[in-house]
Amino acid sequence: MTHKALSSSLFDPDLLKQAVWEAFKKLTPQQQWKNPVMFVVYLGSLLTTLLWLQALAGDSEEPAGFILTITIWLWFTVLFANFAEAAAEGRSKAQAAFLRTAKRDIAAKKLDDPRYGSNYTKIAGSNLVKGDVVLIEAGDFVPGDGDVIEGVASVDESAITGESAPVIRESGGDFSSVTGGTRVLSDWLVVRISANPGETFLDRMISMVEGAKRQKTPNEIALTILLVALTLVFLMATATLLPFSLYSVETSGAGRPISITVLVALLVCLIPTTIGGLLSAIGVAGIGRMMQKNVIATSGRAVEAAGDVDVLLLDKTGTITLGNRQAAAFIPAKGISEKQLADAAQLASLTDETPEGRSIVVLAKQKFGLRERDVQSLGATFIHFSAQTRMSGVNLQGRQIRKGAEDAIKQYVTEQGGRFPDEIQKMVVDVARRGSTPLVVADGKQALGVIELKDIVKGGIKERFIELRQMGIKTIMITGDNRLTAAAIAAEAGVDDFLAEATPEAKLALIRQHQADGRLVAMTGDGTNDAPALAQADVAVAMNSGTQAAKEAGNMVDLDSNPTKLIEIVETGKQMLMTRGALTTFSVANDVAKYFAIIPAAFATTYPALNVLNVMGLATPASAILSAVIFNALIIIALIPLALKGIKYRPLGAEKLLQNNLLVYGVGGLLVPFIGIKAIDLVLVTMNLV
Amino acid sequence: MNETGFLQIFIYLLALLLLSKPLGAYMARVYQDESIVANTWFAVIERGLYRLCGIQAEQDMRWQQYAGALLVFNLLGLLVVYALQTCQDLLPLNPQALPAISTDSALNTAISFATNTNWQGYAGEASMSYLTQMLGLTVQNFLSAASGMAVLVALIRGFSRRNTNSIGNFWVDMTRSTLYILLPLSLLLAVVLVGQGVVQTFDRYATVKLQEPQTYSAPALDADGHAVLDAQGQPLTQTQQSQEQTLALGPAASQIAIKQLGTNGGGFFNANSAHPYENPTPLSNFLEMLAILLIPAALCHTFGFLVGDSRQGWTLLAAMTLVFVALIFVTVPAEQHGNPALTSLGVDQAASNQQPGGNMEGKEARLGIVNSALWAVATTAASNGSVNAMHDSFTPIGGMIPMWLIQLGEVIFGGVGSGLYGMLVFALVAVFIAGLMIGRTPEYLGKKIEAFEMQMAAVIILIPPLLVLGGTALAVMTEAGKASILNPGAHGFSEVLYALSSAGNNNGSAFAGLSANVPFYNYLLGLAMLVSRYGLMIPVLAIAGSLAAKKHVPVGPGTLPTHTPLFAVLLIITVLMVGALTFVPALALGPIVEQLHMHAHP
């Protein structure tokens, strides 16, 4: 079972049943206190309950039945909000339970010496501490997070990623990290444990998903302050109505003062219960949606920050281009045929196992039908690539064929007593300008020509960058290539800018510079040399396939190791903010209709003239107040799917987006309650409930 | 409303908008310290003042220091006004030998003038000596206005500065506001007003012989000055005849100019700008009305210039102007339409060449319906509070609009400085909600709006309704509060609500009809004025400090533009929604039900 399969069950009946039960369990004052707006409703419900009891005892300000009905609906309001939160949490809890199955206690083989073949003692995985070295053999579960220090093995990581294809883990390089709970399928690994019990990746994931450590994000805090302020405004407006009403009754000599029950009903209708009741559900659901996209965020703050990203740094290789460059053309020097060049190039690449080398062999075969020759029978000596010579090639039958970067071959040819022709130099520049990598081939002191290695830009990537630009995000490609190559690929892929000849220091400096200008920087990375830049970036997505160092430096881990996932992360961040904003607007806009329903009803006995304001033509004062309260409760339930799914983000530009959302949630929020309250009133009248 | 009415309103708005831009640009230069030819003389005085007072003009203050300086300076001003009133019988320039003012009234007045409210529980010509009016009240008219401008400029610096903890020097801002802006404008206006016939003299009150003796009835008084009661306990009246009339005089023009320009509103005479010696001609009326909104409107442009984007200023000005114009066209027709009760009695209330028509009760015949209603809207949109007609006598809806304008928090133009900083706080709230709706952490003018700003904004928006609604509740629940109400019922409720709204938002205009010069109201309203002024100024400065310390977020395609019509509309909705949702229940029990009754029982 993968996360995707699990999370798609948005309204799983079992989860809903669980949520109903949870909604009741959340009725304790400690739970309610966490949400100031709903706490006011909670207190109001308690108050009307007492008033009802008092009415039963014969001392009543309103008919006991009326107070009871209001009281019941006020309790429903509280329960609906609890239910929304529980429903959001329920999904996450199910995900956490699934993750926990991976966290069974695993027996570990702790090595006495940190090398393969040393003696080991069997201890419980939960007793391992940072720095311990363990042996993991085929069939064993990985007992904790760590780095491979010896060996190579295929590992099944489906427990974490949901991806069933095994991955290779080996010491050194960018694929050296293993995660606790995964299983080694073949061979063996010696792993140095990098996390103490309770701090492993799996632990962090579970606690994140469960919301146990969920802290309010900065924006949620600011919004809560606004909601509390609104609540206080309405508290004042309703609380002072009692003295105002007493004075009005006294001077007009008619009617009776507004009752506490009606005041509480008015207060609950006016305070922003819709957003107040759904606020925490939105946050929990946001993290849950990230989870559905197979991204583990270490904090809600990181998800929210993702919505604000201004600049996105992307590695060229593997993200913008397919991982490997491929031979695309042979450009022969004067006097050399293309076939001659292809032949020499193929000979020089026969034992070159790099993807580039293989692509040269393949291209020569495709173009000129040159078959791969049996390397043994040729009696050739192969020269492998070394950091000193920066060339590779072959010596056979007196020929000394070499291929390599321009400067390396130039040096080689000159040393052999040849002359490096200017035309080759020109070809090299031309190839580089096209965004390809030139490899020069020489035979002894004669330069034969140039192989053009081309970076293949991923299909569809350009469209994604256009999308990002519409979101207002600037994309910067990072590459170790020289400026010419980088510029050509940047143009082909449609990124806004690029950083060529990038070193870890240059990446870090670029991020700092953008941050100093006030921009929010996101970056994806997987290698250990990405770690400093990941740590510096505001939103840092580490690939799950990457090193432990990268994963720890990032504030999100993408289990699919798909670098363009950032676009979806940004969308989720924006959705969270937008859903909050839209529901706040909706909630406040609703109040207009509620005033029209309740004010004339509340003062019907003192100032009957105010019935002019009863524009909805609600049947009786009691039905008007009740309809408003019922609408206020039901709208929470009606909006739960929206809160959990989030409102759709479309990159239309700020102005247009605001206009659309104002129309839908502002004007809609103004109109919907007029219709809703009237409809509820009609139902109440038809059913003779009032 | 006829064409002349429309034309008057149009000319007024045109003059206001035309003059606001150059004045706004000038003020921006004043605060930015750009040398301009005209200010060389001022500059000499300015430097002299700093030397005299030992002020280090280059030294910027943190917001706490700025707020501290403001509070100390305002407190000293308050104490001076209090002392002048309570000792005026011992001081010179008191030709009428007026007695010292009572403690509660003096305290109320001192607070009222220090806070730029200019609520007047007293009657000017009957209680204040010339010295008190000039040295106490007029000086505060300048300084309270300058204080508002200083806080605004500090807030603007919060937006324009980055990564710093200083928001300017309070003493410099005060000096510049007074010396370069308020003094020259007041001098100019005062001279023109004197030319129109506004009095400006140290002479004692004149006594003139009436053309024909007037007969009137007055309560009979015993030797101790108490009313004599008849057997039923009703006061006895006796017929009296008068041959002469006392005409109150004084140095009025110099006070009226700054009273209008500084959105103070405290009249020299009790009748305020309805008094012919304060506001004698249509031209004086036009100029005084223009002076009410001139600086608040111009400050929008100043804001635009100082933040380096004049469109930002235009947007705020447009939002204010739209609400203002919309509400003019509620109040003026309401007044022009007159009273249905009179119509049913066959009274002709239509405007014609012979009469202005409409509801003329409490209005000056020389000013008419349109100029009275327009003034009422302008003076309550701005936190001026001067009146040229009795708001108490307006139709219920005509009177509700001025009251609601005050309750909106005095941000539709508002007080000099205070109106715009209030509006900017609303802009922060609007930006916050709009920012959420487009999926971005909200930012305004490149500054991120976070929890601290929202906290302060919440305090700023909460305080006035708390004072208004809480104060009104207290007044209608206590005997002391109810005793002063002259018209019980919905209208009496409006009178109390208006008084608290006026004090709780530092407007100062009076609905009248409420005997407010009693200890209960003097203390209650005094407290409301004090809390509403400084309870708002301090959080505004805190926001300024917090914003100044932030870095600047560059504008990108994802940034919400705040210079567009859409943002102006959003800002208007925010202001109106907060104002409406807070006060609709209270207004329903006052003017709304009164209006319904008026139409239901003509």
Side-chain angles (χ1 to χ4, degrees), chain B residues 104-105 108 119-122 481 484-486 495 499 510 512-525:
Chain B
D104 59 312
S105 174
N108 178 288
W119 169 266
Q120 294 172 292
Y122 64 92
S484 291
I485 299 171
L486 298 188
E495 288 167 355
L514 181 74
S515 313
N517 196 10
V518 292
F520 175 80
Y521 280 105
N522 276 334
Y523 289 127
L524 179 66
L525 299 178

PDB file of all heavy atoms in Angstrom, chain B residues 104-105 108 119-122 481 484-486 495 499 510 512-525:
ATOM      1  N   ASP B 104     -13.439  70.035  36.640  1.00  0.00           N
ATOM      2  CA  ASP B 104     -13.801  69.008  35.656  1.00  0.00           C
ATOM      3  C   ASP B 104     -13.862  69.577  34.251  1.00  0.00           C
ATOM      4  O   ASP B 104     -13.381  68.966  33.290  1.00  0.00           O
ATOM      5  CB  ASP B 104     -15.135  68.334  36.039  1.00  0.00           C
ATOM      6  CG  ASP B 104     -16.284  69.313  36.131  1.00  0.00           C
ATOM      7  OD1 ASP B 104     -16.115  70.357  36.782  1.00  0.00           O
ATOM      8  OD2 ASP B 104     -17.346  69.033  35.536  1.00  0.00           O
ATOM      9  N   SER B 105     -14.412  70.770  34.119  1.00  0.00           N
ATOM     10  CA  SER B 105     -14.502  71.371  32.795  1.00  0.00           C
ATOM     11  C   SER B 105     -13.115  71.728  32.269  1.00  0.00           C
ATOM     12  O   SER B 105     -12.817  71.516  31.092  1.00  0.00           O
ATOM     13  CB  SER B 105     -15.384  72.618  32.860  1.00  0.00           C
ATOM     14  OG  SER B 105     -15.369  73.277  31.619  1.00  0.00           O
ATOM     15  N   ASN B 108     -11.372  68.551  31.191  1.00  0.00           N
ATOM     16  CA  ASN B 108     -11.960  68.078  29.946  1.00  0.00           C
ATOM     17  C   ASN B 108     -11.460  68.909  28.766  1.00  0.00           C
ATOM     18  O   ASN B 108     -11.049  68.365  27.737  1.00  0.00           O
ATOM     19  CB  ASN B 108     -13.496  68.170  30.065  1.00  0.00           C
ATOM     20  CG  ASN B 108     -14.198  67.744  28.789  1.00  0.00           C
ATOM     21  OD1 ASN B 108     -14.170  68.457  27.795  1.00  0.00           O
ATOM     22  ND2 ASN B 108     -14.826  66.566  28.814  1.00  0.00           N
ATOM     23  N   TRP B 119     -13.479  68.913  21.626  1.00  0.00           N
ATOM     24  CA  TRP B 119     -14.814  68.806  22.202  1.00  0.00           C
ATOM     25  C   TRP B 119     -14.945  69.995  23.141  1.00  0.00           C
ATOM     26  O   TRP B 119     -14.024  70.311  23.900  1.00  0.00           O
ATOM     27  CB  TRP B 119     -14.926  67.505  22.980  1.00  0.00           C
ATOM     28  CG  TRP B 119     -16.145  67.402  23.818  1.00  0.00           C
ATOM     29  CD1 TRP B 119     -16.271  67.730  25.127  1.00  0.00           C
ATOM     30  CD2 TRP B 119     -17.430  66.943  23.401  1.00  0.00           C
ATOM     31  NE1 TRP B 119     -17.536  67.513  25.563  1.00  0.00           N
ATOM     32  CE2 TRP B 119     -18.286  67.022  24.517  1.00  0.00           C
ATOM     33  CE3 TRP B 119     -17.940  66.480  22.191  1.00  0.00           C
ATOM     34  CZ2 TRP B 119     -19.627  66.657  24.455  1.00  0.00           C
ATOM     35  CZ3 TRP B 119     -19.280  66.105  22.139  1.00  0.00           C
ATOM     36  CH2 TRP B 119     -20.111  66.192  23.260  1.00  0.00           C
ATOM     37  N   GLN B 120     -16.077  70.689  23.059  1.00  0.00           N
ATOM     38  CA  GLN B 120     -16.236  71.880  23.887  1.00  0.00           C
ATOM     39  C   GLN B 120     -17.426  71.730  24.804  1.00  0.00           C
ATOM     40  O   GLN B 120     -18.568  71.846  24.365  1.00  0.00           O
ATOM     41  CB  GLN B 120     -16.385  73.122  23.005  1.00  0.00           C
ATOM     42  CG  GLN B 120     -15.111  73.420  22.231  1.00  0.00           C
ATOM     43  CD  GLN B 120     -15.316  74.514  21.215  1.00  0.00           C
ATOM     44  OE1 GLN B 120     -16.026  74.331  20.246  1.00  0.00           O
ATOM     45  NE2 GLN B 120     -14.695  75.664  21.439  1.00  0.00           N
ATOM     46  N   GLY B 121     -17.145  71.456  26.058  1.00  0.00           N
ATOM     47  CA  GLY B 121     -18.223  71.391  27.036  1.00  0.00           C
ATOM     48  C   GLY B 121     -18.617  72.798  27.475  1.00  0.00           C
ATOM     49  O   GLY B 121     -19.700  73.024  27.988  1.00  0.00           O
ATOM     50  N   TYR B 122     -17.718  73.729  27.245  1.00  0.00           N
ATOM     51  CA  TYR B 122     -17.919  75.120  27.697  1.00  0.00           C
ATOM     52  C   TYR B 122     -18.452  75.950  26.527  1.00  0.00           C
ATOM     53  O   TYR B 122     -18.455  75.513  25.387  1.00  0.00           O
ATOM     54  CB  TYR B 122     -16.574  75.696  28.157  1.00  0.00           C
ATOM     55  CG  TYR B 122     -15.578  75.788  27.012  1.00  0.00           C
ATOM     56  CD1 TYR B 122     -15.492  76.961  26.270  1.00  0.00           C
ATOM     57  CD2 TYR B 122     -14.770  74.709  26.641  1.00  0.00           C
ATOM     58  CE1 TYR B 122     -14.618  77.056  25.189  1.00  0.00           C
ATOM     59  CE2 TYR B 122     -13.897  74.791  25.579  1.00  0.00           C
ATOM     60  CZ  TYR B 122     -13.830  75.966  24.856  1.00  0.00           C
ATOM     61  OH  TYR B 122     -12.988  76.056  23.789  1.00  0.00           O
ATOM     62  N   GLY B 481     -25.709  59.806  33.740  1.00  0.00           N
ATOM     63  CA  GLY B 481     -25.630  59.879  32.291  1.00  0.00           C
ATOM     64  C   GLY B 481     -26.970  60.235  31.673  1.00  0.00           C
ATOM     65  O   GLY B 481     -27.042  61.033  30.743  1.00  0.00           O
ATOM     66  N   SER B 484     -28.644  64.096  31.661  1.00  0.00           N
ATOM     67  CA  SER B 484     -28.286  65.167  30.728  1.00  0.00           C
ATOM     68  C   SER B 484     -29.012  65.082  29.405  1.00  0.00           C
ATOM     69  O   SER B 484     -28.851  65.930  28.537  1.00  0.00           O
ATOM     70  CB  SER B 484     -26.775  65.132  30.458  1.00  0.00           C
ATOM     71  OG  SER B 484     -26.073  65.515  31.604  1.00  0.00           O
ATOM     72  N   ILE B 485     -29.777  64.001  29.199  1.00  0.00           N
ATOM     73  CA  ILE B 485     -30.433  63.813  27.904  1.00  0.00           C
ATOM     74  C   ILE B 485     -31.667  64.698  27.827  1.00  0.00           C
ATOM     75  O   ILE B 485     -32.547  64.632  28.682  1.00  0.00           O
ATOM     76  CB  ILE B 485     -30.820  62.331  27.717  1.00  0.00           C
ATOM     77  CG1 ILE B 485     -29.552  61.467  27.737  1.00  0.00           C
ATOM     78  CG2 ILE B 485     -31.564  62.142  26.397  1.00  0.00           C
ATOM     79  CD1 ILE B 485     -29.825  59.978  27.769  1.00  0.00           C
ATOM     80  N   LEU B 486     -31.722  65.562  26.806  1.00  0.00           N
ATOM     81  CA  LEU B 486     -32.853  66.480  26.698  1.00  0.00           C
ATOM     82  C   LEU B 486     -34.039  65.849  25.990  1.00  0.00           C
ATOM     83  O   LEU B 486     -35.169  66.207  26.235  1.00  0.00           O
ATOM     84  CB  LEU B 486     -32.434  67.745  25.956  1.00  0.00           C
ATOM     85  CG  LEU B 486     -31.347  68.591  26.608  1.00  0.00           C
ATOM     86  CD1 LEU B 486     -31.195  69.896  25.865  1.00  0.00           C
ATOM     87  CD2 LEU B 486     -31.671  68.855  28.074  1.00  0.00           C
ATOM     88  N   GLU B 495     -28.113  61.170  20.769  1.00  0.00           N
ATOM     89  CA  GLU B 495     -27.330  62.278  21.317  1.00  0.00           C
ATOM     90  C   GLU B 495     -26.155  61.759  22.152  1.00  0.00           C
ATOM     91  O   GLU B 495     -25.024  62.224  22.035  1.00  0.00           O
ATOM     92  CB  GLU B 495     -28.222  63.195  22.164  1.00  0.00           C
ATOM     93  CG  GLU B 495     -29.178  64.018  21.311  1.00  0.00           C
ATOM     94  CD  GLU B 495     -30.285  64.683  22.130  1.00  0.00           C
ATOM     95  OE1 GLU B 495     -30.372  64.428  23.353  1.00  0.00           O
ATOM     96  OE2 GLU B 495     -31.068  65.445  21.533  1.00  0.00           O
ATOM     97  N   ALA B 499     -22.124  61.877  21.175  1.00  0.00           N
ATOM     98  CA  ALA B 499     -21.122  62.501  22.053  1.00  0.00           C
ATOM     99  C   ALA B 499     -19.966  61.550  22.294  1.00  0.00           C
ATOM    100  O   ALA B 499     -18.787  61.917  22.196  1.00  0.00           O
ATOM    101  CB  ALA B 499     -21.755  62.909  23.369  1.00  0.00           C
ATOM    102  N   ALA B 510     -20.254  68.281  18.265  1.00  0.00           N
ATOM    103  CA  ALA B 510     -21.306  67.925  19.204  1.00  0.00           C
ATOM    104  C   ALA B 510     -22.613  67.847  18.458  1.00  0.00           C
ATOM    105  O   ALA B 510     -22.878  68.638  17.565  1.00  0.00           O
ATOM    106  CB  ALA B 510     -21.386  68.952  20.315  1.00  0.00           C
ATOM    107  N   ALA B 512     -25.181  68.195  20.023  1.00  0.00           N
ATOM    108  CA  ALA B 512     -25.955  69.096  20.878  1.00  0.00           C
ATOM    109  C   ALA B 512     -27.161  68.343  21.414  1.00  0.00           C
ATOM    110  O   ALA B 512     -27.386  67.189  21.079  1.00  0.00           O
ATOM    111  CB  ALA B 512     -26.377  70.351  20.137  1.00  0.00           C
ATOM    112  N   GLY B 513     -27.934  69.005  22.239  1.00  0.00           N
ATOM    113  CA  GLY B 513     -29.083  68.330  22.825  1.00  0.00           C
ATOM    114  C   GLY B 513     -28.701  67.514  24.043  1.00  0.00           C
ATOM    115  O   GLY B 513     -29.531  66.893  24.685  1.00  0.00           O
ATOM    116  N   LEU B 514     -27.421  67.495  24.374  1.00  0.00           N
ATOM    117  CA  LEU B 514     -26.975  66.762  25.557  1.00  0.00           C
ATOM    118  C   LEU B 514     -26.223  67.771  26.426  1.00  0.00           C
ATOM    119  O   LEU B 514     -25.301  68.421  25.963  1.00  0.00           O
ATOM    120  CB  LEU B 514     -26.035  65.636  25.140  1.00  0.00           C
ATOM    121  CG  LEU B 514     -25.483  64.750  26.246  1.00  0.00           C
ATOM    122  CD1 LEU B 514     -26.565  63.809  26.746  1.00  0.00           C
ATOM    123  CD2 LEU B 514     -24.293  63.948  25.748  1.00  0.00           C
ATOM    124  N   SER B 515     -26.656  67.915  27.680  1.00  0.00           N
ATOM    125  CA  SER B 515     -25.955  68.854  28.558  1.00  0.00           C
ATOM    126  C   SER B 515     -24.691  68.180  29.052  1.00  0.00           C
ATOM    127  O   SER B 515     -24.698  67.479  30.054  1.00  0.00           O
ATOM    128  CB  SER B 515     -26.827  69.236  29.747  1.00  0.00           C
ATOM    129  OG  SER B 515     -28.105  69.565  29.304  1.00  0.00           O
ATOM    130  N   ALA B 516     -23.639  68.391  28.311  1.00  0.00           N
ATOM    131  CA  ALA B 516     -22.430  67.609  28.580  1.00  0.00           C
ATOM    132  C   ALA B 516     -21.477  68.281  29.555  1.00  0.00           C
ATOM    133  O   ALA B 516     -20.523  67.658  29.999  1.00  0.00           O
ATOM    134  CB  ALA B 516     -21.705  67.321  27.277  1.00  0.00           C
ATOM    135  N   ASN B 517     -21.719  69.561  29.876  1.00  0.00           N
ATOM    136  CA  ASN B 517     -20.780  70.219  30.787  1.00  0.00           C
ATOM    137  C   ASN B 517     -21.135  69.931  32.233  1.00  0.00           C
ATOM    138  O   ASN B 517     -21.396  70.830  33.029  1.00  0.00           O
ATOM    139  CB  ASN B 517     -20.733  71.723  30.518  1.00  0.00           C
ATOM    140  CG  ASN B 517     -19.502  72.361  31.157  1.00  0.00           C
ATOM    141  OD1 ASN B 517     -18.611  71.652  31.623  1.00  0.00           O
ATOM    142  ND2 ASN B 517     -19.465  73.667  31.192  1.00  0.00           N
ATOM    143  N   VAL B 518     -21.188  68.652  32.551  1.00  0.00           N
ATOM    144  CA  VAL B 518     -21.419  68.208  33.930  1.00  0.00           C
ATOM    145  C   VAL B 518     -20.277  67.252  34.258  1.00  0.00           C
ATOM    146  O   VAL B 518     -19.675  66.685  33.341  1.00  0.00           O
ATOM    147  CB  VAL B 518     -22.773  67.478  34.068  1.00  0.00           C
ATOM    148  CG1 VAL B 518     -23.907  68.451  33.857  1.00  0.00           C
ATOM    149  CG2 VAL B 518     -22.867  66.329  33.093  1.00  0.00           C
ATOM    150  N   PRO B 519     -19.951  67.103  35.546  1.00  0.00           N
ATOM    151  CA  PRO B 519     -18.790  66.267  35.881  1.00  0.00           C
ATOM    152  C   PRO B 519     -18.823  64.895  35.214  1.00  0.00           C
ATOM    153  O   PRO B 519     -17.827  64.431  34.678  1.00  0.00           O
ATOM    154  CB  PRO B 519     -18.857  66.165  37.395  1.00  0.00           C
ATOM    155  CG  PRO B 519     -19.535  67.425  37.809  1.00  0.00           C
ATOM    156  CD  PRO B 519     -20.513  67.751  36.730  1.00  0.00           C
ATOM    157  N   PHE B 520     -19.994  64.220  35.185  1.00  0.00           N
ATOM    158  CA  PHE B 520     -20.043  62.868  34.624  1.00  0.00           C
ATOM    159  C   PHE B 520     -19.508  62.849  33.197  1.00  0.00           C
ATOM    160  O   PHE B 520     -18.612  62.080  32.851  1.00  0.00           O
ATOM    161  CB  PHE B 520     -21.481  62.336  34.654  1.00  0.00           C
ATOM    162  CG  PHE B 520     -21.643  60.990  33.974  1.00  0.00           C
ATOM    163  CD1 PHE B 520     -21.300  59.817  34.641  1.00  0.00           C
ATOM    164  CD2 PHE B 520     -22.095  60.895  32.656  1.00  0.00           C
ATOM    165  CE1 PHE B 520     -21.429  58.584  34.021  1.00  0.00           C
ATOM    166  CE2 PHE B 520     -22.219  59.663  32.032  1.00  0.00           C
ATOM    167  CZ  PHE B 520     -21.884  58.516  32.723  1.00  0.00           C
ATOM    168  N   TYR B 521     -20.070  63.713  32.352  1.00  0.00           N
ATOM    169  CA  TYR B 521     -19.650  63.695  30.953  1.00  0.00           C
ATOM    170  C   TYR B 521     -18.260  64.300  30.763  1.00  0.00           C
ATOM    171  O   TYR B 521     -17.496  63.873  29.906  1.00  0.00           O
ATOM    172  CB  TYR B 521     -20.687  64.397  30.065  1.00  0.00           C
ATOM    173  CG  TYR B 521     -21.845  63.493  29.755  1.00  0.00           C
ATOM    174  CD1 TYR B 521     -23.072  63.669  30.388  1.00  0.00           C
ATOM    175  CD2 TYR B 521     -21.712  62.443  28.864  1.00  0.00           C
ATOM    176  CE1 TYR B 521     -24.138  62.815  30.131  1.00  0.00           C
ATOM    177  CE2 TYR B 521     -22.768  61.585  28.597  1.00  0.00           C
ATOM    178  CZ  TYR B 521     -23.972  61.771  29.230  1.00  0.00           C
ATOM    179  OH  TYR B 521     -25.014  60.917  28.981  1.00  0.00           O
ATOM    180  N   ASN B 522     -17.930  65.316  31.579  1.00  0.00           N
ATOM    181  CA  ASN B 522     -16.597  65.899  31.445  1.00  0.00           C
ATOM    182  C   ASN B 522     -15.512  64.847  31.683  1.00  0.00           C
ATOM    183  O   ASN B 522     -14.532  64.776  30.949  1.00  0.00           O
ATOM    184  CB  ASN B 522     -16.411  67.063  32.411  1.00  0.00           C
ATOM    185  CG  ASN B 522     -16.971  68.360  31.823  1.00  0.00           C
ATOM    186  OD1 ASN B 522     -17.049  68.510  30.600  1.00  0.00           O
ATOM    187  ND2 ASN B 522     -17.382  69.274  32.678  1.00  0.00           N
ATOM    188  N   TYR B 523     -15.706  64.022  32.701  1.00  0.00           N
ATOM    189  CA  TYR B 523     -14.695  63.010  33.003  1.00  0.00           C
ATOM    190  C   TYR B 523     -14.755  61.853  32.005  1.00  0.00           C
ATOM    191  O   TYR B 523     -13.735  61.396  31.493  1.00  0.00           O
ATOM    192  CB  TYR B 523     -14.848  62.501  34.447  1.00  0.00           C
ATOM    193  CG  TYR B 523     -14.439  63.527  35.475  1.00  0.00           C
ATOM    194  CD1 TYR B 523     -15.282  63.905  36.519  1.00  0.00           C
ATOM    195  CD2 TYR B 523     -13.176  64.143  35.406  1.00  0.00           C
ATOM    196  CE1 TYR B 523     -14.900  64.858  37.452  1.00  0.00           C
ATOM    197  CE2 TYR B 523     -12.798  65.102  36.328  1.00  0.00           C
ATOM    198  CZ  TYR B 523     -13.660  65.458  37.354  1.00  0.00           C
ATOM    199  OH  TYR B 523     -13.261  66.404  38.262  1.00  0.00           O
ATOM    200  N   LEU B 524     -15.987  61.393  31.733  1.00  0.00           N
ATOM    201  CA  LEU B 524     -16.125  60.248  30.819  1.00  0.00           C
ATOM    202  C   LEU B 524     -15.565  60.576  29.426  1.00  0.00           C
ATOM    203  O   LEU B 524     -14.768  59.827  28.854  1.00  0.00           O
ATOM    204  CB  LEU B 524     -17.605  59.855  30.705  1.00  0.00           C
ATOM    205  CG  LEU B 524     -17.898  58.672  29.766  1.00  0.00           C
ATOM    206  CD1 LEU B 524     -17.293  57.385  30.296  1.00  0.00           C
ATOM    207  CD2 LEU B 524     -19.396  58.494  29.548  1.00  0.00           C
ATOM    208  N   LEU B 525     -15.985  61.739  28.922  1.00  0.00           N
ATOM    209  CA  LEU B 525     -15.522  62.114  27.584  1.00  0.00           C
ATOM    210  C   LEU B 525     -14.035  62.442  27.598  1.00  0.00           C
ATOM    211  O   LEU B 525     -13.322  62.155  26.635  1.00  0.00           O
ATOM    212  CB  LEU B 525     -16.330  63.308  27.059  1.00  0.00           C
ATOM    213  CG  LEU B 525     -17.840  63.040  26.908  1.00  0.00           C
ATOM    214  CD1 LEU B 525     -18.561  64.292  26.428  1.00  0.00           C
ATOM    215  CD2 LEU B 525     -18.098  61.896  25.936  1.00  0.00           C
TER     216      LEU B 525
END
